[in-house]
């Protein structure tokens, strides 16, 4: 009986020792009440993570030098864009139905190079100094654009006059509180028309550049990440403002990048350091657009799409462009 008690005690003791050894070291420092000890523990944890990261990078570079090394596939970043909800209006690169529609739309003549874009750029009534500079630099970027001082002329009168003089597009920059806050794009002669809300406008001076750096060369245009039918219409509308044959000698590029229905515009110049390294130098101006509505005609007619925030923006993963 004593032997059984002894064996039982041995078993119990061994279980206690195993439990003590198998307990993992906790990394939750929020339970430490002493602030100094908690700070010390946090600094030690961050230092250890940094050392591990540096060691992993060194090992990765060392493995890359080995013969026959095959790099592992890159991980897909976990972003809101990657979690985007599927939409029935999303298109693929080879969509025959979409190609037929675009072959007869308002911009078919531009993409078949049957006409050269001729753009009229203007502003709202009584613009402030920053709006005037912004409009001037915007007209400097677009090849062949003409700056028009509005002088209290209504938009319908400007559209009629521009149509008679052979302009293909009219841009109107609106302002609020002495800052540009909207862009109206009217395609002539029969539309469509789109209104964009403008945010974060920066002229060349704001990004420490000079407008004199912008040359008269026709820039290359990049339209990125427009995935729906509405997005394709918006992309074709913005792309049709520029000449379809860029002058690569000028090394200038205008980018419209759509991300979560915000269209970021950037204007850069390529700078070749050598045959392998290329640097992008931002020239300005810069701004961000968000589509508010799309209209069929030239500032008249039915609305094809209108942004109703409380009814349409019900999910952070739902996008329309």
């Amino acid at each position: 009986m004593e032997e059984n008690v002894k064996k039982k005690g041995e078993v119990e003791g061994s279980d206690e020792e195993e439990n003590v050894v198998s307990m993992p070291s906790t990394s939750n420092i929020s339970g430490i009440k002493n602030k100094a000890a908690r700070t010390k523990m946090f600094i030690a944890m961050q230092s250890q993570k940094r050392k591990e990261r540096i060691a992993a990078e060194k090992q990765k570079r060392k493995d890359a030098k080995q013969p026959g090394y095959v790099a592992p596939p890159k991980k897909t970043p976990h972003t809101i864009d990657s979690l985007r909800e599927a939409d029935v209006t999303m298109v693929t690169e080879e969509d025959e139905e979409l190609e037929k529609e675009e072959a007869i739309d308002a911009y078919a003549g531009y993409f078949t190079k049957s006409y050269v874009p001729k753009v009229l750029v203007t502003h709202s009534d009584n613009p402030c100094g920053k709006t005037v500079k912004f409009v001037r630099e915007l007209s400097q970027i677009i090849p062949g654009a003409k700056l028009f001082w509005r002088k209290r002329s209504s938009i319908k009168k400007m559209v009629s006059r521009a149509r008679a003089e052979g302009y293909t597009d009219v841009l109107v920059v609106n302002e609020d509180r002495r800052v540009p806050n909207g862009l109206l794009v009217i395609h002539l002669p029969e539309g469509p028309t789109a209104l964009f809300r403008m945010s974060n406008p920066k002229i060349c001076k704001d990004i420490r550049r000079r407008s004199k750096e912008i040359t008269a060369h026709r820039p290359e245009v990049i339209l990125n990440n427009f995935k729906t039918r509405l997005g394709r219409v918006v992309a074709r509308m913005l792309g049709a403002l520029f000449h379809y044959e860029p002058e690569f000698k000028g090394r200038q590029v205008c980018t419209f990048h759509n991300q979560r229905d915000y269209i970021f515009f950037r204007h850069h110049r390529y700078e070749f350091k050598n045959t392998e390294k290329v640097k992008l130098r931002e020239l300005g101006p810069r701004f961000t657009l968000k589509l508010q509505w799309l209209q069929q005609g030239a500032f008249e007619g039915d609305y094809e799409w209108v942004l109703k925030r409380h009814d349409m923006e019900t999910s952070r993963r739902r996008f329309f462009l």
Side-chain angles (χ1 to χ4, degrees):
M1 186 174 181
E2 292 179 357
E3 292 179 358
N4 293 336
V5 172
K6 186 177 180 181
K7 289 181 180 179
K8 186 177 180 181
E10 290 177 355
V11 172
E12 290 177 353
S14 62
D15 289 340
E16 290 178 357
E17 291 177 359
E18 288 179 359
N19 291 335
V20 170
V21 173
S22 62
M23 286 181 63
S25 59
T26 178
S27 60
N28 185 14
I29 62 175
S30 61
I32 302 175
K33 302 300 182 181
N34 187 284
K35 183 178 180 180
R38 187 169 64 247
T39 304
K40 185 178 180 180
M41 178 67 73
F42 177 76
I43 294 174
M45 288 174 56
Q46 294 297 103
S47 177
Q48 181 64 25
K49 288 181 180 179
R50 182 174 179 274
K51 290 179 181 179
E52 293 175 356
R53 185 173 65 254
I54 293 174
E57 291 176 356
K58 287 183 178 179
Q59 185 63 35
K60 185 178 179 180
R61 289 194 295 267
K62 185 178 179 181
D63 293 341
K65 295 180 181 179
Q66 299 296 329
Y69 171 77
V70 179
K74 292 184 178 180
K75 297 180 179 179
T76 304
H78 189 74
T79 61
I80 296 179
D81 288 333
S82 64
L83 299 175
R84 177 174 182 169
E85 294 179 357
D87 192 343
V88 294
T89 63
M90 296 185 70
V91 297
T92 59
E93 294 182 0
E94 299 180 356
D95 192 331
E96 295 182 359
E97 183 180 354
L98 180 64
E99 291 178 359
K100 293 179 181 178
E101 292 179 2
E102 292 181 347
I104 57 175
D105 69 357
Y107 299 99
Y110 168 81
F111 287 96
T112 56
K113 301 180 181 181
S114 61
Y115 71 87
V116 176
K118 187 179 179 182
V119 183
L120 184 70
V121 184
T122 185
H123 46 70
S124 57
D125 290 330
N126 300 321
C128 66
K130 184 172 182 179
T131 302
V132 172
K133 292 179 181 178
F134 180 84
V135 171
R136 185 180 290 116
E137 293 176 1
L138 183 62
S139 62
Q140 192 175 351
I141 293 174
I142 301 174
K146 181 182 178 182
L147 183 59
F148 175 73
W149 301 104
R150 188 165 171 180
K151 298 179 181 179
R152 299 184 181 275
S153 177
S154 66
I155 294 179
K156 290 189 176 181
K157 287 183 179 179
M158 287 192 301
V159 169
S160 300
R161 180 178 176 182
R163 185 186 290 115
E165 294 181 3
Y167 286 93
T168 60
D169 297 274
V170 176
L171 302 183
V172 183
V173 178
N174 301 320
E175 72 168 27
D176 183 38
R177 298 179 183 180
R178 303 179 66 83
V179 177
N181 75 326
L183 179 65
L184 182 67
V185 183
I186 306 172
H187 182 66
L188 301 178
E190 301 298 336
T193 302
L195 176 66
F196 299 90
R197 187 184 72 201
M198 184 185 299
S199 58
N200 195 30
K202 302 289 184 181
I203 59 177
C204 296
K205 184 179 180 181
D206 294 335
I207 58 176
R208 298 181 181 181
R209 295 289 184 268
R210 296 182 302 171
S211 59
K212 294 181 180 179
E213 297 183 45
I214 304 175
T215 63
H217 296 89
R218 297 191 294 267
E220 179 185 359
V221 180
I222 297 176
L223 305 169
N224 189 29
N225 205 30
F226 294 90
K227 297 183 177 180
T228 64
R229 289 179 176 270
L230 177 63
R232 288 290 292 260
V233 173
V234 172
R236 289 165 70 85
M237 173 181 287
L238 297 174
L241 300 174
F242 299 82
H243 200 283
Y244 44 77
E245 291 183 353
E247 294 178 334
F248 296 103
K249 185 178 180 181
R251 296 177 285 110
Q252 294 183 145
V253 55
C254 293
T255 304
F256 292 94
H257 174 71
N258 173 46
Q259 187 171 352
R260 301 192 297 274
D261 285 351
Y262 287 92
I263 304 172
F264 299 90
F265 175 81
R266 296 294 184 269
H267 180 217
H268 294 92
R269 171 179 288 128
Y270 294 111
E271 292 184 352
F272 295 91
K273 298 297 181 180
N274 50 47
T275 57
E276 296 180 354
K277 294 184 179 180
V278 181
K279 180 182 177 181
L280 285 177
R281 175 182 175 83
E282 186 175 1
L283 301 178
R286 119 185 11 165
F287 53 89
T288 304
L289 302 175
K290 187 174 179 63
L291 182 65
Q292 301 300 297
W293 49 259
L294 181 68
Q295 196 176 17
Q296 290 181 354
F299 202 63
E300 58 184 0
D302 298 332
Y303 289 92
E304 292 187 7
W305 186 87
V306 179
L307 176 62
K308 298 179 180 178
R309 296 186 58 187
H310 298 289
D311 297 334
M312 301 171 67
E313 295 183 346
T314 56
S315 173
R316 294 185 61 192
R317 297 181 297 170
R318 185 184 180 190
F319 308 116
F320 303 99
L321 302 182

